[in-house]
Amino acid sequence: MRKGFSVRVFNGEIESFCRFQEGLFDNVLVENESFLIAIEGVILNKKSLCQEFASTNFKDLVLNLFIQKKQRFFALLEGEFSGFIIDKSERTVFAFTNVTSTQKVFYYRSTDLIIIDTSIKNIVEDLKSNKIPFSIDVESIYQMLAFTNIIENKTPIKDIFKIYDASYIKVDAENLSIKEEQYFNVEAERFLGSKELAIDTIDEIFSKSVALEYEKDHELGKEHFSLLSGGLDSRVAVLYAEKLQLNPNKMFCFSQSNYLDETISRKIAEKFNFDYHFAPLDGGIFLKNIDKMVSISEGMVLYTGSIHVDFVMEQFYQEQFGLIHSGQIGDGVLGGFNMIPDVQKPTNKKIVVNSHFLPKVFENLEKIKSQYEREELFYLRNIAFNRAVFGGQVFQQFSYQTSPFMTKDFMSFAVSLPEKWKFNHRFYLEWIKEHCKEATLFKWERTMMKPNAHWKTVLGDHFNKRLVNVFYNKIFGKEYKISMYPYQYYFDSSPEIQSFYNDYFQSNIGLLDDYKELQKDILDLYHHKDFFSKSSAVNILAIFKYYLS
């Protein structure tokens, strides 16, 4: 659905091209003799901003905001958006993304050329057509192997960078300079009030965030499409919508049949008479959609992270639906990114997935971590915004995914709370026990217990889940009983999938002939028995195929 845009600066001249359809969602172009403004996406607070700035429509609002707030007007916007401004008189370009950088914008700069685009591949094709050499960034590839995603602002291609979350770049066409700045800092002042006040405040903020999403569906004239699983975040988002009488009637769930995600979400739907729809992932035939997933991620994150989402949405999504309502990153910003009940510098605990490749990226990782005083801010950017949001990009083939946990007000307030409150999701549980008790009446997939007491989280994490894993996986060999999407089981059970992966690997390993050390590492990795290793190896081949074939 997202089509994007391009801006090219060469020999002092500025060229731009918008691929998106004006008028779809909140896509808009505003141009006169002095400037050109392009915005693509969905603006959740458009209605309130129109009222505040006395504007009759979005185009009028953009014009009024630009006149009053100048180039940083987009700092007032809430939602899923990206865009650019060309100041014709000053011969400058501003390109920006939203606060979570879910609407990705990339840029390339050489001595005489700057390219800005919403697609890395488009920049690469521009370089190819102009016979400008480019190359794979090998360190980024090893980041992918070590972390399952590329961190900070790097991409798989040297000299192509991603605009950071809540940031914009300013390009001076005369001297071809680029300056990047943040327009919103999620790290607000620390909260100094009582926990009781914090719980009431977060209830108020969350209520407003949920209302923004569902009211946007009404503005679009669309039906609600809400995700519901056995986790905590999606049910809290849905039950808040129910509590606010926003009528979140249609619920959608996907997982391995009869896994906790299905059984728990069904019970919730039955309790509240939601129109419930379930799509089974059984068999995992979608694991063959490697190239499609890499074309969506552009090699920024491991394709298996959301490959099941694409399979399900092809079945579920219809034109009458509006936004895709989720609870994304809720557990992260409310304790999941706090490894201890205190402030500490970033550790490797959550970011490193395959420690075998850590030596390849260790030095640069240490430099990056040293720039962060708080671990949760490092994880917020590099796990939430650079890894977890891949699902949102898959959803974006159909509509925009939103989450009330990802608004500016909610994230900045959550980050401001003391670490000792949030650790092990204690504050999260106290909040919902006070303001959304219905969410505590059903088991939590993570702990297999109701989320109504701190001790249950500890017991569930350290005993229940491990015991069940041993019971089904080690003793009975039934991995499909203990996972939302048991990829290893799908792979082991399907000669068709195994054959496809072996053929894919053999057909593309030659793409690494000029990268002998990497090629050896990928060969060794693929010959491991576990599916995670095989898919990690294949992911690298798919990235090379995407950019070099």
Side-chain angles (χ1 to χ4, degrees), residues 455-468:
W455 65 266
K456 290 185 177 181
T457 304
V458 177
L459 180 65
D461 284 349
H462 296 283
F463 181 75
N464 281 10
K465 213 62 183 293
R466 291 183 181 181
L467 183 63
V468 170

Side-chain angles (χ1 to χ4, degrees), residues 111-127:
T111 55
D112 59 354
L113 173 66
I114 291 176
I115 307 171
I116 303 167
D117 204 293
T118 48
S119 165
I120 304 171
K121 184 68 174 290
N122 286 343
I123 297 177
V124 168
E125 292 304 315
D126 192 330
L127 298 178

Side-chain angles (χ1 to χ4, degrees), residues 242-296:
E242 175 71 7
K243 168 184 167 182
L244 297 169
Q245 299 182 338
L246 296 170
N247 302 316
N249 59 322
K250 285 187 170 60
M251 300 295 120
F252 298 87
C253 177
F254 43 90
S255 75
Q256 172 70 18
S257 293
N258 300 315
Y259 180 62
L260 289 170
D261 276 297
E262 180 192 3
T263 57
I264 294 171
S265 61
R266 277 192 186 278
K267 290 179 180 178
I268 297 172
E270 289 170 4
K271 170 72 173 177
F272 293 94
N273 295 315
F274 294 142
D275 185 0
Y276 181 84
H277 302 264
F278 175 75
L281 302 177
D282 307 14
I285 196 66
F286 51 84
L287 290 173
K288 294 163 63 176
N289 296 336
I290 299 166
D291 289 335
K292 182 179 181 182
M293 288 299 98
V294 170
S295 71
I296 294 173

